Amino acid sequence: MKRAGMPREYEERHGSDASSKHVLPPPGQRIHVLRWLRENLFSNWWNALLTVAAAALIGSILLGLTRWAISEAEWQVIPANLKLLLVGTYPVESLWRVWTCLYVIALLLGFSARLHRGLILRVAVTTGIASIALAFIPFSWATRGWIAGFAVAASAGFGLAALVGRGAWIRRIEAATWILSFPLVLILLNGVGSFLPVIEGRDTWGFLLNLLGAVLGIGLSLPIGILLALGRRSRLPAIRWICTAYIELIRGVPLITLLFMASIMLQLLLPDSIRPDLVVRAMVTITAFSAAYMAENVRGGLQAIPKGQYEAAYAVGLGGFLTTILIILPQALRAVIPAIVGQFIALFKDTTLFGFISILELLSVSRSVLGNLEWRGTIFELYVFIGLIFWVLCYSMSSISRRIERSLGVGER
Amino acid sequence: MSVSEETGSGIIVCEDVHKWFGDFHVLRGISLSVRKGEVVVICGPSGSGKSTFIRTINRLEEHQRGRIVVDGVELTHDLRNTETVRRDVGMVFQQFNLFPHLTVQQNITLAPVWVLKMKRSEADAVAVELLERVGILEQADKFPGQLSGGQQQRVCIARALAMSPKIMLFDEPTSALDPEMIKEVLDAMKELARSGMTMIVVTHEMGFAREVADRICFFDFGELIEENRPEEFFARPENERTKLFLSQILH
């Protein structure tokens, strides 16, 4: 009998049936529900009282919430304002551009899913199923078609990958396309030249702005943070001082202050002609802010790498750059995945602060919905909806990160 | 044999090498020349500077006075010289220092692919050959953390050999190993010595020294106190400190 996890050497040395003869199975760990309840919740009269009281409290809260959600809440506020909440004032006749962006991503996701399997496949299947499920919600038929299109695009990407195989150059093209999809999405959404008219009022795009802020912030703050962390450990004093000063300066100021500075002070300091758009300033600010925190997370990982790793890399002839890229960073980043993903999640939620500098992102759009007489008093409904959107996305990020950790075997060493 | 004659034929030539850690004078004028194909064992009490010395040979430590010339290239502040020397000098560490995020095979192919620009398929073939040579081919796809100490150290030897070095440095290669694993590592080293590799080995394994070394050097307080052929070294140590050391480690 070959047991999983039994090292081959062990079996060679002790014979393959040694384990079944001499090793006792672990003691039974089945838990009986009643016994567990008695031991943990009703071990004496005082515990029993606490258990009953706590159950009553939790029960009444849940009951109240359920009654409110079923009979009192005016959920119509969500579908009636859905377009406003999600994309704000983005013109209806140009909405195809938003969908196209989503399809580009779905296509790439499907392609990568077929190419790499594993985690990406899981993510692709989950989002595909979610989009099909969403298409069953009775929106207008056109909207339901658009939503289902996401799954179609993902499947198309999957099929395309199956056709072209898994050669090394395919992977290179795939990586390049993912990187190119960033500017492509931005150009599509914003418009360029006369072919794709530029869409005005970028600062009132609702949840689209939160998403853009998060994606850009995450995509840019990690590489910038890595460079800052390496810079802070540089042997060259000038680079070290600049990076340290930047990190400490940014981390010492609240994000909201930085946003106000970007929105008001820049307006006063820079002449009209070179002053960037408010949304651009907000995105740059949140990226710059997040990068400083990211740098410290990454530095924590760098600190954890033993000196012997550098020495071994130098001894086999790797130079400083290759040592950093091939040996040090992969290990350092792995060690701090939880902290990095934590920063991603914080950054995503921080995009709601855009509202303070009069950018109409999801949270501030919802406030303007409340200003509409027809939807007065629907504040709970809106906040539950907003909370749900953020929770679903943040939880997805955190569960993806947990799976990455597991697949990389962090913590097993 | 005078020093100048040795300089002419030595693949490693060290002349009056000094090094300080802060105020502490670790190496106090070491002069040593190693011929091609020679196996030199360095022994001595802990803190005598023997590890520091072999680490100056691939410049993991910088020497502050004197000259070190490895295969005609002098180690200076010129980084290119350092990189050239490191390419030709393999090193095996006490603590293995394998790359834990890479498989055994990847540990071995990494440097040939990135430093020597070898094709991946070619590097893979080299790795298979070397793993077979050190007797752990079946572990190729495991990660270092899944191997025993002795196996890890043999991977470390294979990793160094993948660069086809002219010289191999061993820094107490068996000191971190459980007793039953020391032999497998020493066997791999003996095989290497017999194949004609130039080796400098810092070790307390006197059996190994007696069997394979061409010369034994005794270090104490940062100085090279005595060097001799093994039979002479063990039978007739000249220096009092050598005698004391040998009496401590052989009994």
Side-chain angles (χ1 to χ4, degrees):
Chain A
M1 179 187 66
K2 180 160 173 69
R3 291 243 184 129
M6 192 64 75
R8 192 187 300 163
E9 285 206 347
Y10 181 92
E11 288 185 358
E12 277 165 7
R13 214 172 298 153
H14 299 272
S16 59
D17 60 350
S19 51
S20 52
K21 263 186 207 160
H22 302 292
V23 180
L24 294 174
Q29 296 186 331
R30 281 188 55 205
I31 295 168
H32 297 276
V33 178
L34 282 177
R35 203 172 127 204
W36 185 89
L37 280 176
R38 199 169 59 235
E39 278 176 6
N40 292 286
L41 298 178
F42 297 95
S43 56
N44 54 39
W45 69 269
W46 172 237
N47 260 346
L49 194 72
L50 271 181
T51 302
V52 171
L57 185 69
I58 295 171
S60 70
I61 290 175
L62 281 181
L63 204 70
L65 264 179
T66 320
R67 192 184 306 134
W68 170 79
I70 291 173
S71 56
E72 288 171 34
E74 295 184 46
W75 291 114
Q76 312 88 292
V77 65
I78 308 294
N81 295 289
L82 193 60
K83 189 253 159 195
L84 196 62
L85 289 166
L86 293 185
V87 294
T89 59
Y90 207 90
V92 179
E93 67 276 9
S94 300
L95 273 183
W96 62 269
R97 295 198 200 173
V98 180
W99 289 113
T100 310
C101 290
L102 287 176
Y103 291 172
V104 168
I105 291 162
L107 203 72
L108 275 168
L109 195 61
F111 193 88
S112 296
R114 176 69 173 72
L115 208 57
H116 304 286
R117 314 284 175 115
L119 184 62
I120 304 182
L121 181 60
R122 219 178 249 276
V123 172
V125 170
T126 313
T127 44
I129 291 175
S131 81
I132 291 171
L134 284 176
F136 278 98
I137 298 176
F139 300 115
S140 73
W141 281 106
T143 312
R144 294 166 77 172
W146 281 116
I147 295 176
F150 189 88
V152 175
S155 316
F158 194 88
L160 187 65
L163 280 180
V164 295
R166 356 182 22 157
W169 63 275
I170 299 272
R171 280 158 199 258
R172 242 165 264 155
I173 291 176
E174 178 218 10
T177 321
W178 269 112
I179 293 171
L180 278 179
S181 70
F182 269 75
L184 180 72
V185 162
L186 289 183
I187 289 171
L188 250 175
L189 287 178
N190 183 64
V192 62
S194 55
F195 177 65
L196 265 180
V198 173
I199 291 174
E200 295 302 326
R202 266 186 295 258
D203 49 354
T204 56
W205 284 358
F207 186 57
L208 195 53
L209 289 172
N210 299 86
L211 269 186
L212 280 177
V215 170
L216 282 176
I218 287 171
L220 295 175
S221 70
L222 182 59
I224 297 175
I226 290 173
L227 290 179
L228 282 170
L230 292 172
R232 191 168 183 172
R233 287 163 55 95
S234 165
R235 250 178 303 173
L236 308 172
I239 293 182
R240 193 169 62 236
W241 289 335
I242 291 171
C243 291
T244 309
Y246 175 87
I247 292 168
E248 295 306 336
L249 220 85
I250 297 276
R251 291 205 311 161
V253 181
L255 174 57
I256 193 72
T257 314
L258 289 174
L259 282 171
F260 278 132
M261 278 157 74
S263 91
I264 299 165
M265 276 174 52
L266 277 185
Q267 197 146 5
L268 298 176
L269 293 178
L270 294 177
D272 255 356
S273 49
I274 59 163
R275 188 192 310 146
D277 186 70
L278 181 63
V279 172
V280 174
R281 278 179 275 157
M283 302 268 178
V284 170
T285 308
I286 199 164
T287 305
F289 178 80
S290 187
Y293 281 85
M294 208 61 87
E296 287 298 273
N297 290 338
V298 174
R299 196 167 66 91
L302 292 173
Q303 226 81 306
I305 306 299
K307 201 169 145 239
Q309 290 292 309
Y310 291 91
E311 292 181 348
Y314 295 152
V316 290
L318 296 174
F321 178 73
L322 283 181
T323 300
T324 306
I325 296 288
L326 298 173
I327 306 299
I328 306 305
L329 272 182
Q331 296 185 57
L333 293 179
R334 253 168 230 221
V336 292
I337 288 174
I340 289 177
V341 175
Q343 183 57 36
F344 286 168
I345 289 175
L347 181 143
F348 179 36
K349 292 187 294 190
D350 281 348
T351 56
T352 50
L353 294 176
F354 286 175
F356 284 97
I357 53 170
S358 60
I359 290 176
L360 278 179
E361 46 69 57
L362 180 58
L363 202 60
S364 34
V365 166
S366 76
R367 268 191 230 115
S368 67
V369 169
L370 287 175
N372 187 335
L373 277 183
E374 194 185 345
W375 303 114
R376 272 173 72 176
T378 55
I379 187 165
F380 286 144
E381 291 83 341
L382 283 165
Y383 283 177
V384 165
F385 174 72
I386 293 170
L388 196 69
I389 289 191
F390 275 99
W391 181 80
V392 165
L393 291 174
C394 290
Y395 181 77
S396 309
M397 277 197 258
S398 112
S399 73
I400 288 173
S401 104
R402 251 178 293 133
R403 280 182 194 284
I404 293 178
E405 276 170 48
R406 218 177 306 152
S407 71
L408 293 179
V410 178
E412 277 176 24
R413 254 186 293 136
Chain B
M1 199 190 282
S2 76
V3 171
S4 58
E5 272 172 1
E6 279 188 67
T7 310
S9 59
I11 192 169
I12 303 171
V13 178
C14 305
E15 285 169 3
D16 194 30
V17 172
H18 287 261
K19 175 163 182 72
W20 288 261
F21 284 134
D23 288 337
F24 180 52
H25 200 170
V26 227
L27 298 179
R28 310 180 178 192
I30 309 282
S31 293
L32 177 73
S33 162
V34 179
R35 290 185 312 275
K36 197 168 184 317
E38 196 178 12
V39 177
V40 175
V41 163
I42 298 179
C43 62
S46 67
S48 59
K50 51 196 193 307
S51 280
T52 308
F53 172 66
I54 74 162
R55 288 156 59 86
T56 58
I57 293 172
N58 65 351
R59 213 172 167 80
L60 289 183
E61 304 284 358
E62 289 175 19
H63 59 291
Q64 285 143 325
R65 246 173 63 189
R67 247 159 61 89
I68 300 177
V69 182
V70 180
D71 198 23
V73 181
E74 178 168 3
L75 287 169
T76 59
H77 286 288
D78 190 335
L79 270 178
R80 275 167 306 177
N81 286 5
T82 306
E83 283 179 11
T84 315
V85 167
R86 283 177 179 164
R87 225 168 283 178
D88 286 340
V89 178
M91 186 163 202
V92 174
F93 300 86
Q94 181 178 1
Q95 299 295 341
F96 325 137
N97 295 342
L98 291 172
F99 307 128
H101 60 301
L102 302 176
T103 63
V104 165
Q105 174 113 358
Q106 290 166 336
N107 262 279
I108 297 171
T109 56
L110 183 92
V113 167
W114 288 91
V115 181
L116 302 181
K117 312 286 176 207
M118 200 185 274
K119 270 194 210 138
R120 197 163 287 276
S121 54
E122 213 175 309
D124 281 335
V126 169
V128 167
E129 189 191 312
L130 286 171
L131 284 173
E132 192 145 37
R133 187 166 163 193
V134 295
I136 38 173
L137 184 54
E138 72 280 3
Q139 314 288 356
D141 295 323
K142 289 196 183 163
F143 286 90
Q146 296 167 299
L147 304 186
S148 72
Q151 292 170 330
Q152 290 194 47
Q153 196 58 297
R154 286 185 280 162
V155 174
C156 195
I157 294 174
R159 176 178 70 180
L161 290 178
M163 293 291 286
S164 332
K166 296 176 180 151
I167 299 159
M168 285 283 284
L169 307 175
F170 293 83
D171 186 3
E172 306 208 23
T174 56
S175 302
L177 296 177
D178 291 335
E180 77 267 26
M181 293 169 181
I182 291 178
K183 185 175 175 296
E184 62 191 51
V185 171
L186 289 182
D187 284 346
M189 289 166 63
K190 283 177 197 165
E191 188 267 325
L192 193 59
R194 272 181 228 114
S195 75
M197 176 67 74
T198 310
M199 291 163 65
I200 301 186
V201 185
V202 173
T203 185
H204 292 139
E205 294 294 331
M206 288 303 130
F208 171 83
R210 211 185 283 265
E211 193 183 333
V212 261
D214 296 308
R215 194 162 22 138
I216 302 186
C217 299
F218 179 71
F219 272 52
D220 201 7
F221 296 111
E223 287 176 274
L224 173 51
I225 290 191
E226 184 167 350
E227 54 177 316
N228 217 331
R229 286 180 302 143
E231 50 271 37
E232 299 291 316
F233 182 84
F234 289 113
R236 281 174 290 281
E238 284 158 17
N239 192 290
E240 284 307 314
R241 282 188 272 173
T242 318
K243 286 176 193 164
L244 179 66
F245 176 75
L246 283 176
S247 72
Q248 282 164 339
I249 133 165
L250 294 176
H251 298 291

